Amino acid sequence: MFMGYSLGELGSIFAMQAFAGLILFSVFVLMALGLAIIFGQMGVINMAHGEFMILGAYMTYMTSHIFQTYIPGAYPVYFFVAMAVAFIVSGAAGLATEWLLIRHLYARPLDTLLATWGLSLIMQQAFRSIFGAREVGVELPQWMMGALPVTDVIEVQINGLFVMGLTLIITGAVALLLYRSRWGLQVRAVVANRTMSGAAGIDTRRVDRLTFGLGCGIAGIAGSAFTMIGSTGPTAGQLYIVDTFLVVVFGGAQSLLGTIFSAFTISQSQSTLEFFLTGSMAKVLTLLLVIGLLMLRPQGLFVLKVRR
Amino acid sequence: MSNSTDFLLALEGVTVSFDGFKAVNDLNLYIDKGELRVIIGPNGAGKTTVLDLICGRTRVSGGSIKFKDQEITGLKEHEIVRRGIGRKFQTPSIYEDLTVFENLELSIPRGRNVVGALFWQRSEEVVERVHQIAKMIFLFDFLSRSAETLSHGQKQWLEIGMLLIQDPELLMLDEPVAGMSVSERAKTAELLNEIIKHRSVIVIEHDMKFVESIAHRVTVLHQGKILAEGDMDTIQHDPKVKEVYLGH
Amino acid sequence: MWNPTNKKLDLELVGFALIALLILVVLPLSVDAFRLNLVGKYLTYAFVAVGLVLCWGYTGILSLGQGVFFGLGGYCMAMFLKLEASSVANTKIQSTPGIPDFMDWNQLTELPFFWVPFKSLPFALFAVIAVPAIAAFILSFAMFKRRVGGVYFAIITQAVAAVLTILIIGRQGYTGGINGITDLRTLLGWDIRTDGAKYILYFVCCVLLLGSMFLARFVLSSKLGRLLVAIRDKEDRVRFSGYSVGDFKIFIFCLASAIAAVGGAMFSLQVGFMSPSFVGIVPSIEMVIFCAVGGRHSLVGAVIGTLIVNWAKTSFSETFPELWLFAMGGLFIAVVLAFPRGLAGLFTDQILPLIKRVGMRTGALPKPAPAE
């Protein structure tokens, strides 16, 4: 059999790796969601997106710390409070960034890329100065620990399931916002034709600012989820930006469904490959695969064909 | 339909669809040598798309486009240009960071590969050719000016000049007088009448006065199909055309 | 005869001469051997910056992966030097003498096949240019022929930088891993670690850099240079003037990468090692900021910018290591927001008119008076 594993073993391996991949998938989706709505609407790549995620992670860490110290009785629910805090703080930071930096750089996408990279350096150093260079982790509340046995060889981590559920809810909420709310309508109008939307009385500047804030806020929530599967350090976010961007591009920058699908594909292939190869080689293969696919379909997988 | 034609350009059964929407639908269009053809039609009729198809910017979904009896569908844009088709865009498309002289020089159809461009010499002949064209497009006094400082109308002329210096057999102009003042329009009409003496031209235009001043033969496009074709007089009295333009 | 560009280019020549004066005469006379070697290291980054002026400043192709080509050039050189340093006599304490030490530590018993040709210096020198140029060709051919550009290209080059770093670190038996290829000693028996050798290598580096600048100047002042600006401006128009835009982008990207690679090779020679920390995402984007600070449209500016930023980095991180990242981040933002044309732009917009005004005033007066 393949590499000395029996068929049944292979099945279990794939199932286990698939679940492991689903947690990575959750972080990818949340990160990519924020990056995609920003990129889709403004053509801006926020290179500091990973740092906004880590900002959310630090907020989660602080919230858990406060709960532990002052209201230990309420600790089981700290995560929900932490999520809200992460969303608000990262979102507010995003709004401020848009106002101070991004709005001066419209129509200069490459320069925005460099400027937000500079922002990411500043944020990293700020994290280091405030929270220290050491990585921090949060303690999971009791109910999230442990694993559910599915069969006698396959187990599923509860916190992983929880993060996934959370991701689905947030994705659904964003979809609702985009396709049912007034803001969503305005966003879609601006994406389709910025000049016309402006002429039709949409305050495109305001829509941009809200979009940027929302995208960063979602990154903050991704940070909350991140604390459950990894430890938080000043530079942890930097590792995610390239992957996340590839997820966005691969899915086609303006397609929500495409983003989710490509996050799934990339996280699953990485996770499955990881079992057979070393982690780093799996990463290399995944990246090369995505680059190769992008050459075949430069506009991404899910893109409407329109007259330019 | 014959396989071999005397036409300079022949579109036969050309169709293109964007996600199911047929922007151009089973279109037949023939352009003679030395002909000036004006394409008019309401917004969304597919006028610009037709030009995009001819010059390879958009790929056809079906049908054939023949230029000088040779199939050009599937060729790259620059290959189509080298066959002798020039294209002016709707909004002036010039190199703002370069001077007028450099804009024209880059459009001379020589030294078009990497090595040729690297060892290109600005010969006496090149300078003369640029001067000659610059005079035609009323920009001789602006040769050393940066192109971004030109007025909108001058930019349109510059782009026409960049096409002229290519010396194409077929010239396609997408709304050449858009955004021009009345006097500029008159000068442009004069320029066009000069240009067409030696080549075939397709013009897309909304401005009916301008169309009258240059038009020989007019094609009316509506919803990706040809609605009517004929000389200006016939077209203006065609009831179908009136209906399309005046509403239902 | 009307001639459009000569005046500006003359100014550039003056800049070239000033740089030559600075790096060939002033610095060697005024700083000690250690500092001069440091300057030599900075100058190797200037090769990358010169390449970035070509592809980013003039053509609008932002590459965030120039470290890849710098690194490939550096590794090709380092592989030759390492093999020479790993002679059987030098490595007799190893379990397999005659192979590089890190291979021995990783239980390799034989030289990997792709290392073998690097025993020859002519091949290594050829590879310094050829390997990065071919890599650049493959990448740019695949991307530009498919019309992938702008931010997409930038991020993909960044992904390539990530891939190469991971590969080098992960395959340490073949590459020396995270430490890189270290302990380089001699070049055809000539000890490159002595002060005298470093002195000579510094001048070789300077001459090669000036050569690259002249090559870049030749390219930019040709019609191809104006085409690059045209492509940056209106890619579609260039295409509809009958040019195959992709070919030109591929050419300039490969040229920029080959120049970066020469810098990498000089780095290995002067500093005595090569490691993945010069290949990855962070060093690659730092090299972009060297170029941006100096002025992305100016060859002279790029070199000066590289020197200034690196000098600042060294002196800053010696005294306030914490502040350096803040300063670096601030630099990225400031250069983009406040002076996108960098120091060179500042010079041509502010200082040059001032000099002209002063010059005119003093020229008009019989006795030169100081400007008030």
Side-chain angles (χ1 to χ4, degrees):
Chain A
M1 211 47 235
F2 182 61
M3 286 175 92
Y5 296 102
S6 78
L7 206 60
E9 278 170 341
L10 274 177
S12 304
I13 289 164
F14 277 121
M16 293 274 274
Q17 292 301 118
F19 276 115
L22 283 178
I23 300 174
L24 186 64
F25 162 70
S26 304
V27 175
F28 271 172
V29 166
L30 287 177
M31 282 283 284
L33 214 54
L35 202 66
I37 55 176
I38 293 172
F39 183 60
Q41 190 197 327
M42 304 191 242
V44 160
I45 293 187
N46 179 16
M47 294 297 272
H49 208 68
E51 278 64 38
F52 282 99
M53 173 180 98
I54 292 305
L55 181 62
Y58 274 118
M59 288 305 122
T60 310
Y61 164 72
M62 275 173 64
T63 315
S64 84
H65 204 71
I66 290 168
F67 267 72
Q68 248 172 346
T69 323
Y70 298 104
I71 28 176
Y75 195 69
V77 296
Y78 90 88
F79 191 78
F80 299 97
V81 179
M83 248 169 49
V85 174
F87 177 78
I88 291 167
V89 173
S90 291
L95 289 179
T97 304
E98 203 280 343
W99 187 68
L100 287 169
L101 192 62
I102 310 292
R103 72 188 170 116
H104 303 292
L105 294 169
Y106 279 126
R108 285 161 64 191
L110 294 179
D111 282 0
T112 318
L113 206 148
L114 293 178
T116 49
W117 178 269
L119 177 69
S120 81
L121 292 182
I122 292 175
M123 285 174 82
Q124 281 171 26
Q125 186 56 44
F127 293 151
R128 202 171 286 131
S129 306
I130 298 168
F131 300 102
R134 264 190 40 234
E135 297 197 334
V136 297
V138 298
E139 209 175 295
L140 289 178
Q142 201 65 46
W143 62 273
M144 270 198 238
M145 288 198 224
L148 294 175
V150 180
T151 69
D152 41 346
V153 275
I154 305 173
E155 284 187 338
V156 187
Q157 303 288 320
I158 293 177
N159 64 345
L161 274 182
F162 177 76
V163 168
M164 258 175 50
L166 194 72
T167 305
L168 290 179
I169 293 170
I170 291 168
T171 313
V174 170
L176 269 182
L177 260 179
L178 265 179
Y179 293 102
R180 288 284 176 272
S181 77
R182 190 167 171 71
W183 168 79
L185 184 67
Q186 290 181 339
V187 166
R188 283 179 290 136
V190 174
V191 171
N193 189 334
R194 177 170 289 270
T195 324
M196 259 323 284
S197 313
I202 296 175
D203 184 349
T204 56
R205 282 288 161 85
R206 200 176 138 264
V207 175
D208 284 343
R209 190 161 312 147
L210 281 178
T211 305
F212 200 85
L214 182 74
C216 293
I218 297 174
I221 299 183
S224 289
F226 179 77
T227 58
M228 309 205 136
I229 57 169
S231 45
T232 306
T235 53
Q238 207 171 42
L239 305 170
Y240 279 83
I241 184 69
V242 172
D243 298 32
T244 311
F245 183 78
L246 288 180
V247 166
V248 171
V249 173
F250 188 49
Q254 283 151 21
S255 158
L256 203 62
L257 202 70
T259 304
I260 292 166
F261 180 80
S262 85
F264 185 79
T265 317
I266 291 178
S267 59
Q268 285 304 322
S269 51
Q270 183 165 333
S271 158
T272 311
L273 285 170
E274 238 164 52
F275 189 83
F276 296 103
L277 304 159
T278 59
S280 59
M281 288 316 283
K283 180 126 190 164
V284 166
L285 268 181
T286 319
L287 287 177
L288 287 179
L289 206 71
V290 174
I291 296 173
L293 279 172
L294 274 179
M295 288 172 190
L296 297 178
R297 275 195 72 106
Q299 285 83 34
L301 289 180
F302 293 81
V303 138
L304 295 176
K305 193 181 167 195
V306 289
R307 199 191 89 187
R308 273 165 300 145
Chain B
M1 268 180 246
S2 61
N3 280 330
S4 169
T5 63
D6 300 331
F7 300 113
L8 183 68
L9 180 77
L11 280 71
E12 290 184 343
V14 169
T15 301
V16 68
S17 56
F18 303 120
D19 274 319
F21 166 68
K22 286 194 170 159
V24 172
N25 194 356
D26 196 20
L27 180 84
N28 297 319
L29 184 72
Y30 303 93
I31 310 287
D32 273 328
K33 287 203 173 75
E35 180 182 353
L36 170 71
R37 176 72 63 94
V38 178
I39 299 179
I40 61 170
N43 280 328
K47 297 170 303 224
T48 301
T49 307
V50 169
L51 296 198
D52 282 349
L53 289 171
I54 296 170
C55 70
R57 202 167 183 233
T58 307
R59 298 264 168 249
V60 293
S61 313
S64 102
I65 302 176
K66 284 187 177 154
F67 182 68
K68 291 193 284 185
D69 235 15
Q70 282 180 320
E71 190 65 43
I72 56 167
T73 46
L75 290 183
K76 298 245 169 59
E77 290 100 321
H78 67 269
E79 291 167 338
I80 294 175
V81 172
R82 289 179 192 186
R83 296 279 174 99
I85 298 181
R87 158 85 187 266
K88 189 201 159 306
F89 290 98
Q90 205 162 341
T91 48
S93 177
I94 53 166
Y95 314 127
E96 310 242 335
D97 290 341
L98 297 175
T99 63
V100 172
F101 186 98
E102 288 166 338
N103 267 277
L104 290 171
E105 185 192 25
L106 286 188
S107 308
I108 292 175
R110 266 174 292 144
R112 274 169 165 173
N113 58 21
V114 170
V115 179
L118 209 48
F119 298 102
W120 167 265
Q121 293 294 322
R122 183 174 288 168
S123 64
E124 206 56 42
E125 189 196 341
V126 167
V127 175
E128 236 158 67
R129 178 93 176 113
V130 170
H131 285 185
Q132 179 200 344
I133 295 290
K135 277 175 196 151
M136 272 181 87
I137 57 170
F138 325 109
L139 291 176
F140 185 69
D141 296 333
F142 298 88
L143 276 175
S144 56
R145 281 264 287 273
S146 158
E148 67 182 332
T149 62
L150 298 180
S151 76
H152 186 81
Q154 288 172 323
K155 285 180 183 172
Q156 300 273 43
W157 289 337
L158 177 56
E159 197 181 357
I160 294 174
M162 287 160 71
L163 291 173
L164 282 181
I165 214 163
Q166 280 177 28
D167 200 20
E169 283 174 72
L170 173 66
L171 190 57
M172 304 194 292
L173 307 170
D174 200 345
E175 300 196 21
V177 295
M180 281 191 181
S181 68
V182 177
S183 68
E184 282 174 334
R185 269 163 205 249
K187 272 176 127 175
T188 307
E190 185 189 312
L191 175 64
L192 284 188
N193 279 321
E194 187 65 31
I195 292 167
I196 57 167
K197 281 176 191 156
H198 317 289
R199 52 179 61 82
S200 308
V201 182
I202 302 177
V203 182
I204 290 180
E205 195 43 75
H206 276 300
D207 185 78
M208 289 317 260
K209 270 241 178 69
F210 180 76
V211 171
E212 269 175 62
S213 67
I214 59 165
H216 300 203
R217 219 173 137 74
V218 179
T219 297
V220 185
L221 225 52
H222 180 53
Q223 292 177 345
K225 290 189 162 182
I226 291 181
L227 188 72
E229 209 165 71
D231 59 43
M232 196 62 203
D233 212 41
T234 327
I235 292 295
Q236 276 176 323
H237 296 98
D238 189 312
K240 281 185 296 183
V241 176
K242 276 186 184 164
E243 194 195 317
V244 164
Y245 268 94
L246 298 174
H248 308 275
Chain C
M1 186 85 278
W2 180 78
N3 216 337
T5 43
N6 267 3
K7 199 148 193 189
K8 197 177 151 211
L9 289 175
D10 280 346
L11 198 66
E12 192 179 46
L13 265 191
V14 173
F16 278 27
L18 287 177
I19 285 185
L21 189 71
L22 177 74
I23 61 178
L24 289 174
V25 181
V26 176
L27 286 173
L29 288 178
S30 58
V31 301
D32 58 40
F34 172 75
R35 294 269 160 191
L36 194 67
N37 185 239
L38 214 54
V39 174
K41 187 171 95 176
Y42 302 161
L43 288 178
T44 65
Y45 303 142
F47 284 87
V48 185
V50 166
L52 279 167
V53 169
L54 293 176
C55 73
W56 178 40
Y58 275 79
T59 324
I61 304 166
L62 177 56
S63 165
L64 297 180
Q66 286 309 91
V68 167
F69 308 109
F70 182 83
L72 285 176
Y75 267 98
C76 286
M77 194 71 231
M79 281 161 82
F80 170 78
L81 296 171
K82 187 67 189 172
L83 285 179
E84 193 176 306
S86 312
S87 63
V88 179
N90 283 345
T91 54
K92 52 181 175 290
I93 52 160
Q94 288 177 186
S95 45
T96 313
I99 62 171
D101 46 11
F102 60 82
M103 291 185 188
D104 195 55
W105 302 333
N106 285 284
Q107 279 93 43
L108 261 66
T109 53
E110 206 185 351
L111 201 62
F113 73 95
F114 64 91
W115 274 75
V116 176
F118 284 92
K119 284 179 174 168
S120 135
L121 180 64
F123 177 84
L125 291 179
F126 169 72
V128 160
I129 304 273
V131 170
I134 291 168
F137 180 79
I138 293 171
L139 178 68
S140 57
F141 185 86
M143 289 298 155
F144 297 142
K145 284 290 178 185
R146 298 289 302 166
R147 305 216 181 136
V148 177
V151 288
Y152 292 85
F153 185 77
I155 298 291
I156 282 168
T157 51
Q158 198 167 44
V160 170
V163 164
L164 188 63
T165 323
I166 297 169
L167 269 180
I168 292 174
I169 295 174
R171 286 275 166 265
Q172 52 177 331
Y174 301 100
T175 62
I178 191 143
N179 297 319
I181 299 180
T182 55
D183 195 22
L184 308 175
R185 297 172 192 175
T186 53
L187 178 73
L188 297 179
W190 176 51
D191 194 334
I192 57 171
R193 291 164 299 178
T194 61
D195 275 357
K198 285 187 171 168
Y199 221 73
I200 293 170
L201 286 172
Y202 171 83
F203 281 106
V204 172
C205 180
C206 290
V207 169
L208 284 175
L209 178 62
L210 288 167
S212 307
M213 290 167 71
F214 272 103
L215 178 65
R217 178 184 142 92
F218 166 71
V219 171
L220 292 181
S221 55
S222 72
K223 178 178 134 180
L224 192 139
R226 297 189 287 282
L227 262 175
L228 297 179
V229 176
I231 289 171
R232 183 185 74 196
D233 216 345
K234 293 266 172 13
E235 193 171 318
D236 247 358
R237 182 71 266 165
V238 181
R239 204 166 273 137
F240 287 109
S241 295
Y243 296 96
S244 174
V245 169
D247 294 353
F248 290 90
K249 288 180 146 186
I250 293 167
F251 168 76
I252 205 69
F253 186 69
C254 291
L255 181 63
S257 303
I259 292 177
V262 175
M266 285 317 296
F267 182 95
S268 296
L269 279 168
Q270 290 186 92
V271 188
F273 77 100
M274 189 71 215
S275 89
S277 57
F278 302 97
V279 173
I281 293 176
V282 177
S284 296
I285 203 167
E286 271 188 18
M287 292 169 185
V288 173
I289 208 66
F290 301 158
C291 171
V293 167
R296 64 184 82 160
H297 304 312
S298 161
L299 295 168
V300 176
V303 175
I304 299 292
T306 309
L307 287 177
I308 290 178
V309 175
N310 279 288
W311 171 77
K313 182 177 180 176
T314 306
S315 37
F316 244 97
S317 40
E318 272 169 13
T319 30
F320 317 99
E322 292 234 326
L323 280 179
W324 172 244
L325 266 185
F326 282 129
M328 190 78 173
L331 206 56
F332 269 97
I333 294 174
V335 90
V336 159
L337 271 188
F339 53 121
R341 290 171 60 224
L343 293 174
L346 223 56
F347 178 78
T348 42
D349 294 350
Q350 307 290 329
I351 299 175
L352 206 59
L354 202 73
I355 295 174
K356 274 192 186 142
R357 219 179 312 140
V358 173
M360 264 158 68
R361 198 181 301 166
T362 49
L365 293 169
K367 217 172 101 187
E372 58 244 57

